[in-house]
Amino acid sequence: QVQLVESGGGSVQAGGSLRLSCEVSGKMLSINSIGWYRQAPGKQRELVAQFISGGFVNYADSVKGRFTISRDNVNNTVYLQMNSLKPEDTAGYYCNINGTVGFTVHDFWGQGTQVTVSS
């Protein structure tokens, strides 16, 4: 099994910054994508940013220019640098890996870390 552990969430004022970390451990697999999703109460979970195999990076339109996804392959960690935070960024943030094990595609999720942005 793959385990994802997020950290770095917290409460900040609008305009502030946070950096989220996702530490990946467990069995090896072929990664199709790795990135961050978020979900606010009463809303659907949405993609924030992700790496896709082939070197592509996707960002939600709402975070382009403010958030940056990065990774440290040596330490098996994925980061989300969040700048110029807005109250609408308030949500639980979840790390996700979509990978292939044998012939089966799986999604792996972390437990989430809360980000709260006050006006």
Side-chain angles (χ1 to χ4, degrees):
Q1 281 289 101
V2 174
Q3 185 175 9
L4 309 176
V5 180
E6 301 100 331
S7 62
S11 298
V12 298
Q13 294 183 356
S17 297
L18 287 172
R19 189 178 75 160
L20 307 183
S21 299
C22 172
E23 185 175 355
V24 181
S25 63
K27 65 175 61 177
M28 303 293 290
L29 44 62
S30 178
I31 297 175
N32 302 317
S33 67
I34 182 168
W36 294 90
Y37 288 72
R38 67 186 181 187
Q39 186 170 25
K43 296 184 178 181
Q44 293 184 326
R45 186 169 297 186
E46 65 174 349
L47 174 68
V48 178
Q50 67 177 175
F51 291 108
I52 296 178
S53 63
F56 296 100
V57 182
N58 291 329
Y59 290 99
D61 288 340
S62 59
V63 307
K64 287 180 179 178
R66 299 188 298 119
F67 291 10
T68 303
I69 187 172
S70 62
R71 63 194 301 174
D72 182 347
N73 290 328
V74 174
N75 294 295
N76 297 315
T77 304
V78 182
Y79 303 96
L80 184 68
Q81 179 67 45
M82 306 185 295
N83 298 325
S84 301
L85 283 162
K86 304 175 180 179
E88 51 263 44
D89 295 319
T90 296
Y93 283 71
Y94 299 86
C95 187
N96 165 263
I97 290 178
N98 180 275
T100 301
V101 181
F103 298 103
T104 306
V105 178
H106 298 278
D107 276 297
F108 300 93
W109 297 91
Q111 85 290 343
T113 185
Q114 179 66 34
V115 172
T116 301
V117 184
S118 60
S119 60

